Amino acid sequence: MIEVINLMVGLLIYPGLAFSLAIGGVFYWLYRKVRARLQARIGPPWYQYFMDLIKLFSKESVIPYSSRGAAMVLAPIFSLTSLVLVAAMMPVGSESIFGFDEDLIVTLYLLAIPGLAMIIAGNVSGSPYGSVGSSREASIMVGYELPYVLSALTVGFHLRSLSISRIVSYQLESGAFFMKYPLATLAFLMCLLPKMGRRPFDAPEADTEIIGGPLTEYSGLLLGLFEVANGLKWFVIPAFTVNMFFGGAANPIEFLAKCLGVVLFLSVLDIIHPRYRIDQGFRFFFKWILPLALIDFVRSLIWP
Amino acid sequence: MLKALRSFARRKSPWIMHVPCGGCNGCDIEVVAALTPKFDVERFGVLQKGTPRHADILIVTGVVTAQILDRLKRIYDLTPNPKHIVAFGSCAVDGDIFREGYGFAGPLDEVLPVDIYVPGCPPRPEALIDGLNKLLKRLK
Ligand code: SF4
């Protein structure tokens, strides 16, 4: 009984859904605010993200006649579920609640699902813009997923361990990994931009070219679920980065401060860049980012 | 309590879609100007969306022509409830100088239920912000 309650609290409140959503929503607002300030605007108030959510949940959800209804409803749920699971496994501060010995691999898999959910969403919604969006998402995914996994595994190979808690505790003793593997860190950070759908690699969701991308036909509750997943991404992905490369943290406050640093870095990169065409983005990943990740990956194998 | 939260959220997060009909393009430029840093409607939570599925408020500019009539109705039907319409510019309000034209298919409010009128040829971006503000005050 106690275990079930613990599990529910872990999944739904701390560090699962509620906590991650609150922090992620604030981080997302921060991104919008920084963007507004750098463009000499005022920007939205801090509760903007949550108001958007409540409004979307209170609207009518239309499931178009030309879509495949079941898959259209399931796509946001896939995305959301995987992100909640990752959030529950992520060590906030030094200890993780549901961490186990191979959680690095599981996290890598689960973090690929939001991208897949986007591809499903675009294809089943029965809109040509959606199909274009998902084909773009699929091609950029081929580009970034490989260097992303390689640079994450670099750390795992260095320690001969696949446990995130182990990686964090090692870094707390002997310094963060971004000192030892700067190239892998850089590659990892670059891969986060398309993962979160940010410029210069936001071609899949380019609202000036293909309307809403995969989300064109989504409305109301279903769009709201995708918005929730987006908010969770703004916490989960920086948190994963901090745990892997920036030394984790001994307590939650320090941890959130480090996440904030990653968020600000990604936001500024997003704001100062225009959008790459899909082939340019793809080429960038294969020409520059993959070699960077490979160099450090090989280094971790032969000279840890 | 929940109702109050819901109406607050609706007032704080109006997503707009700009529907250009058969105008002279003057109004369209003013709508876009309202989204630029100088006027910054994002501070009221306004986001411009390209698809009617995401929109709460449709901003219609220009006269309703025979060409656009069916498409306009279809865009209106695609928008999920609750939805609102802003008639932006004299053309959308009553047809203005194009009233006598052969392509004129009736003023906007005979075609769709209009919630707020913003007159002017073209209205300034401030007028759009004022109109949105008055509309949002009425939302439940
Ligand atoms: S109201 Fe004036 S500016 Fe606007 S579309 Fe009509 S003629 Fe052009």
Side-chain angles (χ1 to χ4, degrees):
Chain A
M1 196 58 209
I2 297 289
E3 276 190 356
V4 175
I5 292 176
N6 263 346
L7 188 72
M8 289 327 270
V9 168
L11 275 180
L12 295 180
I13 299 173
Y14 179 85
L17 188 60
F19 174 74
S20 314
L21 191 62
I23 304 289
V26 171
F27 281 167
Y28 184 48
W29 163 74
L30 213 72
Y31 153 70
R32 281 173 72 171
K33 185 81 177 172
V34 169
R35 188 173 64 177
R37 291 310 295 153
L38 286 188
Q39 293 170 349
R41 292 190 283 130
I42 295 173
W46 68 270
Y47 47 75
Q48 187 60 55
Y49 171 73
F50 305 104
M51 292 301 119
D52 286 351
L53 279 190
I54 296 173
K55 183 210 69 180
L56 284 174
F57 283 145
S58 75
K59 279 194 73 135
E60 184 191 11
S61 326
V62 186
I63 296 187
Y65 181 67
S66 56
S67 74
R68 284 172 225 158
M72 188 161 169
V73 177
L74 283 178
I77 296 179
F78 285 154
S79 175
L80 199 59
T81 319
S82 64
L83 284 167
V84 170
L85 287 178
V86 178
M89 279 192 308
M90 200 54 68
V92 175
S94 57
E95 87 269 26
S96 121
I97 299 189
F98 299 111
F100 48 94
D101 275 351
E102 289 81 24
D103 54 1
L104 176 58
I105 291 289
V106 179
T107 306
L108 286 176
Y109 266 108
L110 287 178
L111 281 183
I113 290 182
L116 284 176
M118 275 291 184
I119 297 176
I120 298 175
N123 270 327
V124 299
S125 64
S127 146
Y129 296 115
S131 313
V132 176
S134 19
S135 87
R136 288 185 181 190
E137 177 82 42
S139 27
I140 197 87
M141 222 173 153
V142 174
Y144 72 75
E145 207 57 47
L146 187 58
Y148 169 79
V149 171
L150 273 184
S151 47
L153 285 185
T154 304
V155 173
F157 272 106
H158 179 86
L159 283 182
R160 300 284 187 272
S161 157
L162 289 174
S163 151
I164 300 182
S165 320
R166 177 82 212 291
I167 291 170
V168 171
S169 57
Y170 176 86
Q171 291 185 85
L172 285 178
E173 281 159 25
S174 49
F177 273 121
F178 81 96
M179 307 287 273
K180 192 153 173 50
Y181 295 114
L183 300 182
T185 312
L186 190 65
F188 194 83
L189 283 173
M190 287 299 131
C191 294
L192 296 186
L193 289 168
K195 231 180 171 39
M196 309 221 290
R198 291 297 119 206
R199 262 172 305 237
F201 308 109
D202 70 339
E205 281 122 68
D207 51 350
T208 43
E209 301 164 22
I210 50 170
I211 315 294
L215 303 185
T216 305
E217 286 294 335
Y218 276 82
S219 55
L221 181 66
L222 298 176
L223 183 64
L225 289 180
F226 266 118
E227 256 326 277
V228 172
N230 181 30
L232 285 177
K233 263 190 214 170
W234 275 93
F235 171 67
V236 168
I237 292 179
F240 186 42
T241 319
V242 168
N243 278 332
M244 294 299 287
F245 289 103
F246 295 100
N251 55 42
I253 304 293
E254 193 190 337
F255 185 75
L256 290 181
K258 282 186 175 177
C259 289
L260 185 65
V262 175
V263 166
L264 288 181
F265 177 74
L266 294 177
S267 307
V268 171
L269 272 190
D270 170 288
I271 294 155
I272 62 178
H273 278 100
R275 181 183 306 128
Y276 276 151
R277 233 170 33 223
I278 194 78
D279 59 324
Q280 291 168 328
F282 194 77
R283 190 173 313 136
F284 176 77
F285 277 107
F286 267 85
K287 210 166 165 185
W288 303 106
I289 299 303
L290 186 60
L292 288 187
L294 266 180
I295 293 172
D296 268 0
F297 183 66
V298 173
R299 234 181 55 183
S300 78
L301 285 182
I302 53 179
W303 177 49
Chain B
M1 167 69 189
L2 272 179
K3 268 203 180 129
L5 189 62
R6 194 180 67 181
S7 70
F8 183 72
R10 281 190 181 154
R11 262 180 277 133
K12 284 298 171 188
S13 141
W15 289 0
I16 63 173
M17 184 195 170
H18 171 206
V19 191
C21 296
C24 77
N25 213 249
C27 286
D28 306 326
I29 288 174
E30 299 297 320
V31 170
V32 176
L35 304 167
T36 52
K38 183 158 183 204
F39 295 99
D40 184 27
V41 282
E42 199 189 353
R43 68 200 144 115
F44 304 118
V46 176
L47 284 185
Q48 198 201 10
K49 294 284 171 179
T51 151
R53 295 269 191 228
H54 298 189
D56 306 299
I57 297 177
L58 298 178
I59 296 190
V60 181
T61 62
V63 281
V64 181
T65 58
Q67 278 265 349
I68 202 87
L69 186 63
D70 289 341
R71 291 165 187 133
L72 185 61
K73 280 185 184 157
R74 195 153 154 231
I75 289 178
Y76 184 74
D77 289 341
L78 287 175
T79 316
N81 285 321
K83 51 195 167 190
H84 305 278
I85 291 201
V86 178
F88 189 75
S90 307
C91 279
V93 173
D94 62 1
D96 204 16
I97 53 170
F98 302 114
R99 213 184 157 77
E100 313 281 303
Y102 62 91
F104 183 64
L108 181 64
D109 48 5
E110 282 179 14
V111 182
L112 296 173
V114 175
D115 290 86
I116 204 138
Y117 300 90
V118 183
C121 180
R124 288 187 56 80
E126 290 98 326
L128 175 66
I129 297 173
D130 185 42
L132 276 179
N133 214 353
K134 283 181 179 148
L135 173 62
L136 293 179
K137 275 204 191 117
R138 294 209 311 242
L139 291 194
K140 295 266 160 25

